[in-house]
Amino acid sequence: MALSRLRSIALASLVFAALLMAALFITVEAAPPNQSADEGATLFKEKCVGCHTIGSGKLVGPDLKGVTQRQEKAWLLSWIQAPDKMLAAGDPIATQLLKEYNNLPMPNLGLNETQVASLVAYLEGIDAGTIAAPVLPTAAAVPEGNSVIGKELFTGVNRFQNGGPPCMGCHSVGGLGALGGGALGPDLTTAFDKYGGAAGLVGFLNAPPTATMNAVWSRQPLTADEQANLMAFLQSATATERPVEALVPLTVLAIVGALILIVVAQLYWRKRLVSVRRAMVTRSRIS
Amino acid sequence: MFDIVLFAVFPYVAVIIAVVVGLYRYFNDRFTYSSLSSQFLENRILFFGTVPWHYGVIIILSAHLFAFLVPVLWGDLIADQTRLYIMELTGLSLALMSIVGITILIARRFRNVRAKAVMSFMDWVLLFALLTQVILGFWTALVYRWGSDWYLHTAVPWLYSLLLLNPEIQHVTALPWEVKFHMLGGFLLVLLFPFTRLVHIVTYPLTYLWRPIQVVIWNRRVAK
């Protein structure tokens, strides 16, 4: 086959595709918007209120009132940009904060440099008194929850009003039984205490800050009732059974399943080696 | 930036090349659209590789496609612990079966002299790309369960955003690396499609459904 011609046309289309995409992205990336405290305010509501207040006390993370005076600006910029890298590098302030806040690391929010600068500009504005601190939802505003409904929402028997996925797809929790919940996200058995009770969780459930959760929930947020029911369930789950370790039973079941399928295939096609030719030869001999 | 190249540029490059080169190969070298079967060269071990491999991988691939096409229906289907567990266990068993299958196929190509003799470089590349892809898929399903659920809220919105020419990579960039490799591996296989015997995927003999009837007459003496 004309492999060399195939190669050259492949190369040509590769170059074409690469140029097309490069052109596309250069036009998109060419003009990054300038930093602005307004953009910072929007970002704060989307990405930060899950864990932080400004002047209303600690949640999952520290109260950010006065943070621009407590920390160097350069430190703040690189921390918000890549908290995971700072922690991995053993930054002393970062390590201290991690210890102080239940070993819950601040997630990498996936922001670009302009967005980080906007956030810091916003925080500076608040500390300087030129911008008003945001009013955030508090635990007091959350209605009384029902842990039974909460469990149904968690497992998916009861679906979320705005179309979000059941928690169980990614999270496990004590008392789910059988093979437990998902393992993409952390186990939530002790989440209620770990995230600072209702006060911490309400912020988190309003605007989940981790990159993957944020992408899912910013478009289909939980209603106030759903949050209350989930919190009630998580609170009851904290005290109940230990989570199920599903890895070993799952592996064993998968091996058994695969074996059964292979045996069935062998039984079903067991006569496959009786070839057409052999049958014809036999037949011709008989006659 | 690196994420943009991997999750917003590479998929397009892979698909464009697959279509352009695939069409070129079809119109210029049509008879190479084949699985280049080696069943005549070695038939005994082939069965234990090809049957588990194809039944496993085709069913799993269909499930990926089905969930992508009707995510809401799929979401309703697994929004129940028992149904979710059944679905996941079926998927894991089929995945393991296809891993066993392709491992046997690879071993057969190594050990059988005749089957090995007809292998080209790209055949080896394809075999190992497929092996890596199914192992990563099985690992993802097992360790980062329950993928049949979160697939709908990570990979599916990402794929739709690619389809609408407005890539939203935030749906997938923060996932564990094995999961990301599995997603990129899918597009790598798309890229490999026109350069390998993977083209046989589109050679399913659909025309058999409407071809004229053939009358087969056996000539032999009737036994007395």
Side-chain angles (χ1 to χ4, degrees):
Chain A
M1 136 181 167
L3 199 65
S4 60
R5 281 178 74 194
L6 203 61
R7 249 187 224 142
S8 58
I9 195 139
L11 205 66
S13 54
L14 176 72
V15 171
F16 169 75
L19 282 178
L20 189 80
M21 296 317 296
L24 224 146
F25 280 96
I26 288 163
T27 45
V28 175
E29 298 271 301
N34 291 324
Q35 66 171 74
S36 78
D38 281 348
E39 196 206 354
T42 313
L43 281 169
F44 191 83
K45 283 202 190 99
E46 280 172 16
K47 308 272 185 188
C48 312
V49 296
C51 302
H52 301 283
T53 71
I54 302 178
S56 312
K58 288 184 198 177
L59 293 178
V60 179
D63 184 340
L64 297 180
K65 179 92 188 144
V67 72
T68 58
Q69 286 139 19
R70 289 201 297 273
Q71 310 291 358
E72 299 282 332
K73 187 171 180 178
W75 186 89
L76 269 182
L77 287 170
S78 45
W79 172 243
I80 299 171
Q81 181 83 61
D84 45 346
K85 283 182 195 151
M86 296 267 283
L87 279 167
D91 178 88
I93 304 173
T95 316
Q96 170 62 30
L97 282 170
L98 181 69
K99 221 169 105 187
E100 201 174 319
Y101 288 89
N102 289 322
N103 283 321
L104 278 174
M106 170 158 156
N108 189 321
L109 302 168
L111 302 173
N112 63 35
E113 275 178 40
T114 320
Q115 289 174 317
V116 175
S118 297
L119 268 176
V120 174
Y122 174 66
L123 293 172
E124 281 174 339
I126 291 175
D127 286 342
T130 54
I131 301 173
V135 182
L136 305 168
T138 56
V142 175
E144 187 72 18
N146 177 325
S147 69
V148 177
I149 301 177
K151 184 173 181 179
E152 288 176 356
L153 289 168
F154 195 97
T155 56
V157 175
N158 216 323
R159 307 301 300 279
F160 290 118
Q161 199 183 316
N162 294 327
C167 315
M168 193 187 154
C170 300
H171 299 283
S172 197
V173 73
L176 274 191
L179 299 167
L184 184 71
D187 188 302
L188 299 179
T189 306
T190 55
F192 191 81
D193 293 336
K194 208 171 169 187
Y195 284 73
L201 269 182
V202 71
F204 198 98
L205 290 175
N206 250 315
T210 54
T212 305
M213 276 193 87
N214 196 274
V216 174
W217 295 100
S218 56
R219 285 192 195 160
Q220 38 199 6
L222 296 165
T223 65
D225 279 337
E226 287 167 349
Q227 290 179 25
N229 292 330
L230 281 176
M231 279 199 283
F233 170 60
L234 287 177
Q235 191 171 10
S236 70
T238 304
T240 55
E241 304 159 49
R242 309 240 347 123
V244 183
E245 183 46 72
L247 203 60
V248 176
L250 258 182
T251 314
V252 172
L253 285 170
I255 292 172
V256 171
L259 277 176
I260 291 175
L261 289 169
I262 291 171
V263 168
V264 167
Q266 163 64 20
L267 288 177
Y268 188 78
W269 281 288
R270 65 188 177 282
K271 288 182 180 163
R272 69 192 173 279
L273 292 178
V274 181
S275 72
V276 177
R277 190 172 163 274
R278 201 183 302 163
M280 288 167 78
V281 170
T282 322
R283 223 160 27 208
S284 73
R285 279 194 189 136
I286 292 170
S287 56
Chain B
M1 186 61 204
F2 199 52
D3 279 339
I4 292 180
V5 173
L6 289 179
F7 293 99
V9 179
F10 176 63
Y12 289 113
V13 172
V15 171
I16 289 173
I17 290 181
V19 172
V20 173
V21 183
L23 287 174
Y24 177 86
R25 180 165 167 180
Y26 185 74
F27 287 111
N28 290 279
D29 228 347
R30 189 162 301 178
F31 287 104
T32 64
Y33 261 71
S34 159
S35 65
L36 302 174
S37 169
S38 58
Q39 190 169 9
F40 276 145
L41 305 177
E42 195 291 315
N43 189 16
R44 205 176 52 82
I45 302 169
L46 178 72
F47 172 84
F48 294 99
T50 196
V51 168
W53 164 250
H54 283 99
Y55 277 89
V57 86
I58 288 172
I59 296 172
I60 288 176
L61 205 56
S62 311
H64 281 74
L65 186 68
F66 186 73
F68 167 74
L69 290 175
V70 283
V72 177
L73 187 67
W74 187 270
D76 288 341
L77 185 67
I78 55 168
D80 172 273
Q81 270 194 62
T82 315
R83 290 202 299 264
L84 175 73
Y85 290 159
I86 290 174
M87 196 70 87
E88 288 281 344
L89 276 172
T90 312
L92 283 168
S93 303
L94 288 167
L96 207 57
M97 184 170 91
S98 58
I99 292 174
V100 169
I102 195 143
T103 309
I104 291 175
L105 289 177
I106 291 175
R108 168 180 174 270
R109 291 285 184 178
F110 266 114
R111 294 173 61 97
N112 187 282
V113 183
R114 299 204 286 180
K116 191 179 181 183
V118 294
M119 285 293 274
S120 74
F121 174 70
M122 287 311 281
D123 290 338
W124 289 115
V125 171
L126 179 64
L127 274 180
F128 282 99
L130 288 170
L131 177 69
T132 314
Q133 182 68 353
V134 286
I135 289 178
L136 280 173
F138 177 71
W139 181 259
T140 297
L142 186 67
V143 176
Y144 300 109
R145 55 196 181 274
W146 306 110
S148 59
D149 208 330
W150 55 253
Y151 167 72
L152 302 173
H153 305 278
T154 51
V156 169
W158 169 59
L159 292 171
Y160 274 105
S161 77
L162 289 176
L163 210 60
L164 299 171
L165 304 180
N166 182 26
E168 291 173 359
I169 60 172
Q170 74 272 22
H171 294 291
V172 290
T173 45
L175 292 172
W177 68 267
E178 301 97 318
V179 183
K180 291 200 272 190
F181 268 53
H182 184 65
M183 290 173 175
L184 295 172
F187 282 102
L188 179 72
L189 288 170
V190 170
L191 179 67
L192 285 177
F193 165 83
F195 302 103
T196 57
R197 54 175 85 190
L198 204 56
V199 287
H200 79 273
I201 288 177
V202 295
T203 60
Y204 200 78
L206 283 176
T207 48
Y208 274 32
L209 292 175
W210 56 82
R211 67 150 207 212
I213 296 168
Q214 288 175 359
V215 181
V216 178
I217 299 173
W218 293 78
N219 286 313
R220 64 164 187 264
R221 275 168 284 170
V222 181
K224 287 170 188 170

